[in-house]
Amino acid sequence: MAMTASLICDDFPTLTGRQEPHNLSVFEGDITHGVKAVELGRRAGSIAMPWQVEAQHAILSMTPAGRWTHPTCCLIIPRQNGKSEILIQRCLYGLFKLDETIIYTAQRWKTARDGWKRLMALIKSRPWLRKRVVRATCSQGEGIIELASGASISFGTRSNDTGRGLTDVDLVVYDEAYNLTPGEISAMSFVQMAAKNPQRIYASSAVNQDEHPNGEVLASVRNRGLAREVGVYFAEYMAADGMPRDAEETWRYANPSYGVIQTAEKILDIMKNLATPAGRKGFDVEALGRGDWPATDDKAETWQIVAEDQWRGLLDYAPDLTGTTGVGVARVGSQWAIGAAQRTVDDRIHVEVGYLPIAPNPEIVALLGRVDDTIEPCAIATDSRSPAAVLEPMMKTAGIELIKSTTNQAALMCSGFVDDAEDGLLCHTGQPALLHALEHATKRELPRKDWVIDPNGDPGGAPLLAVVLARWALLTFESRVVGAAAAPAFERPTHTGGYVDSFDAMTVAF
């Protein structure tokens, strides 16, 4: 066993827990931000234990290019060890030093509210922090802290609507991640679209399938960590197999804060009160970190439409655009997507998502009307089988033509999109929404053995359908525009590959 913390930590002389995770995956980077975050926390009254210091260094590690070494971070640890202190210190630094926009989510409102209170306690402890706060409220299921710099953090419980309307979130924290649902993850998958350097943190105790029916999401992230996926920081504290549950050495091994937060008296009391088979399993999960992990479908084939390396090879942050624009409209569930396609001067087709709103039909029609007036596309198209086709009567009333593709045309446009990607005739700006859609969408075979894109009911698939339609609209109807303007129809935003939910002709992506 590694040297105990009592020999290396003067701030915590009683600390005897093992400081190294049982499972660890971390990649080298510049830890300057991590060092500063720990020091900022110390000055505000939050002193980190050695294991918390190492975690903070990893989370805030940077690559030479100035990106996060670990855009995805996952910390799994037995309960009552102080993982939330790491999250609060990270948020404190993100607010006051990085000017970030942060969403802090939890399974229960009590946990989210406690996070708000702990962060506010640190802020109030120092006048030089407190004077920069312009708003701090906590009521009706949401806690907000806003600074004069524009940085902000929102605390709340998770739902399928979390983050709606937000497009530029730098950090998302999933506390109590043991019961995350795919719907909650899908709702949050769009909020970091416009962030220049997004990061997400999963923090949780281990999953117990008997009590956490939605443990697959965290299990999937854990599998990525165990596989040492590049870009994922993973630290799991747990007792090794074969270590007896009633031995203090086992408790020290599993709990890095043993001797300070966890003590023999506390753990013995818990163990005595969990004497049934279900109780012993709960003790193993909660106190020793030995999760009962569900099977995941991580081995399922992904990137079935276009190969990942092929798609990433089409990246172009500043395409030289010309001519008219084709617009595509798609809807999966409640998620709308509006995409555009435009030629480049070297005769490629640039595709991009401009809007990902969740709104009633009349608002979508009004939005399309403003798009039609502003960029004057050669066509606005949707799939006749798509839920988006319900817009046709309202668009007709508004004087906007909506072109609906047939099933045969849908099959041809899908295969044509793939052909162009494989031939290097497409380009894009690397929008995360399109990456997500291409990773998870599949091919649905039609009776004649041709195929169309199937988003599998995932709202995250709407952006892909929108740009496929936009490309088809451009190729099919660009000839209707005589003497198309040579100026690009896409107005590049200040960030790379972003989108907005409200219309602004000066900053919209297309």
Side-chain angles (χ1 to χ4, degrees):
M1 181 175 175
M3 183 180 297
T4 57
S6 61
L7 300 178
I8 59 175
C9 183
D10 293 335
D11 290 320
F12 301 96
T14 62
L15 184 61
T16 59
R18 174 185 166 92
Q19 299 300 284
E20 298 80 10
H22 180 71
N23 292 311
L24 176 66
S25 180
V26 61
F27 298 88
E28 290 189 6
D30 183 349
I31 65 170
T32 300
H33 282 309
V35 173
K36 291 180 178 179
V38 171
E39 177 61 18
L40 176 62
R42 186 190 67 79
R43 293 185 181 186
S46 174
I47 301 175
M49 299 179 215
W51 72 273
Q52 293 169 324
V53 171
E54 292 299 319
Q56 203 69 265
H57 288 177
I59 291 170
L60 284 164
S61 172
M62 301 286 285
T63 69
R67 312 285 294 179
W68 295 124
T69 305
H70 309 105
T72 297
C73 303
C74 181
L75 180 65
I76 301 175
I77 186 169
R79 293 180 61 182
Q80 301 300 316
N81 269 279
K83 65 174 172 56
S84 295
E85 207 65 27
I86 299 170
L87 305 178
I88 295 302
Q89 281 193 3
R90 168 65 181 88
C91 292
L92 182 72
Y93 189 77
L95 276 178
F96 286 90
K97 294 299 181 180
L98 302 179
D99 291 333
E100 289 181 324
T101 299
I102 304 170
I103 294 180
Y104 190 114
T105 73
Q107 185 70 21
R108 302 168 300 162
W109 166 237
K110 179 181 182 300
T111 302
R113 182 186 61 201
D114 288 350
W116 182 92
K117 289 180 177 179
R118 292 169 73 174
L119 183 55
M120 278 304 302
L122 295 180
I123 294 171
K124 290 180 178 178
S125 71
R126 294 295 181 266
W128 43 273
L129 294 175
R130 187 171 62 247
K131 70 180 182 180
R132 295 171 61 183
V133 177
V134 296
R135 180 189 176 202
T137 61
C138 188
S139 62
Q140 298 180 344
E142 184 177 37
I144 300 288
I145 302 172
E146 294 179 356
L147 306 188
S149 66
S152 67
I153 184 170
S154 170
F155 291 82
T157 52
R158 288 184 286 271
S159 73
N160 288 354
D161 292 329
T162 301
R164 177 183 292 188
L166 297 175
T167 62
D168 195 0
V169 175
D170 302 290
L171 172 65
V172 176
V173 176
Y174 298 104
D175 199 358
E176 298 180 324
Y178 52 77
N179 219 24
L180 270 169
T181 68
E184 291 163 353
I185 290 293
S186 180
M188 297 297 289
S189 64
F190 300 109
V191 303
Q192 295 186 290
M193 277 280 295
K196 295 179 180 178
N197 195 16
Q199 186 178 55
R200 64 212 58 83
I201 303 173
Y202 300 84
S204 183
S205 54
V207 166
N208 181 347
Q209 289 192 82
D210 292 344
E211 299 180 4
H212 309 141
N214 297 308
E216 291 90 349
V217 171
L218 184 60
S220 179
V221 179
R222 177 177 181 263
N223 287 346
R224 294 168 62 192
L226 291 172
R228 292 189 55 80
E229 179 180 316
V230 174
V232 176
Y233 166 63
F234 176 66
E236 181 178 32
Y237 290 84
M238 58 173 286
D241 292 339
M243 298 184 74
R245 70 163 57 92
D246 58 353
E248 188 172 13
E249 185 67 12
T250 304
W251 308 339
R252 288 196 186 100
Y253 189 98
N255 294 278
S257 299
Y258 192 87
V260 176
I261 300 177
Q262 302 277 22
T263 65
E265 182 180 9
K266 292 178 182 178
I267 291 184
L268 274 172
D269 182 64
I270 294 172
M271 190 169 64
K272 289 177 181 177
N273 283 282
L274 296 175
T276 65
R280 286 191 290 271
K281 179 180 179 180
F283 178 82
D284 284 351
V285 172
E286 303 286 2
L288 302 183
R290 291 170 172 164
D292 177 18
W293 295 97
T296 66
D297 60 355
D298 289 349
K299 294 183 180 179
E301 185 181 354
T302 58
W303 291 91
Q304 295 186 29
I305 308 301
V306 178
E308 180 179 5
D309 58 349
Q310 180 68 55
W311 183 254
R312 294 187 185 278
L314 302 173
L315 188 66
D316 188 345
Y317 286 129
D320 194 357
L321 302 170
T322 185
T324 187
T325 304
V327 172
V329 184
R331 178 182 177 183
V332 180
S334 61
Q335 182 68 61
W336 290 88
I338 302 176
Q342 189 175 5
R343 290 193 182 274
T344 67
V345 295
D346 57 358
D347 207 29
R348 295 175 297 161
I349 295 178
H350 179 79
V351 294
E352 189 163 330
V353 184
Y355 304 88
L356 289 169
I358 299 176
N361 296 350
E363 290 187 23
I364 301 300
V365 172
L367 175 58
L368 288 170
R370 296 195 292 274
V371 169
D372 191 41
D373 290 340
T374 303
I375 66 175
E376 298 181 354
C378 62
I380 299 176
T382 192
D383 189 333
S384 60
R385 304 160 305 149
S386 167
V390 300
L391 298 179
E392 185 178 27
M394 288 180 285
M395 291 182 66
K396 186 175 182 179
T397 300
I400 308 168
E401 181 183 15
L402 178 65
I403 296 171
K404 298 185 297 180
S405 68
T406 65
T407 298
N408 288 339
Q409 288 171 328
L412 289 172
M413 75 173 70
C414 290
S415 60
F417 180 87
V418 171
D419 288 344
D420 278 3
E422 292 178 347
D423 293 339
L425 299 178
L426 294 180
C427 63
H428 61 89
T429 58
Q431 291 178 296
L434 284 177
L435 292 174
H436 172 89
L438 280 161
E439 180 180 1
H440 297 287
T442 60
K443 295 180 179 181
R444 180 165 63 84
E445 189 174 288
L446 299 177
R448 295 183 179 181
K449 302 303 179 182
D450 47 2
W451 59 273
V452 293
I453 293 171
D454 186 354
N456 291 311
D458 180 1
L464 175 59
L465 299 177
V467 298
V468 169
L469 282 158
R471 172 195 164 276
W472 175 77
L474 176 67
L475 291 173
T476 307
F477 300 101
E478 62 182 333
S479 61
R480 301 198 305 188
V481 179
V482 179
F490 282 77
E491 293 290 342
R492 306 310 312 154
T494 56
H495 51 76
T496 298
Y499 71 90
V500 291
D501 279 344
S502 57
F503 182 80
D504 181 347
M506 297 303 296
T507 60
V508 70
F510 58 83

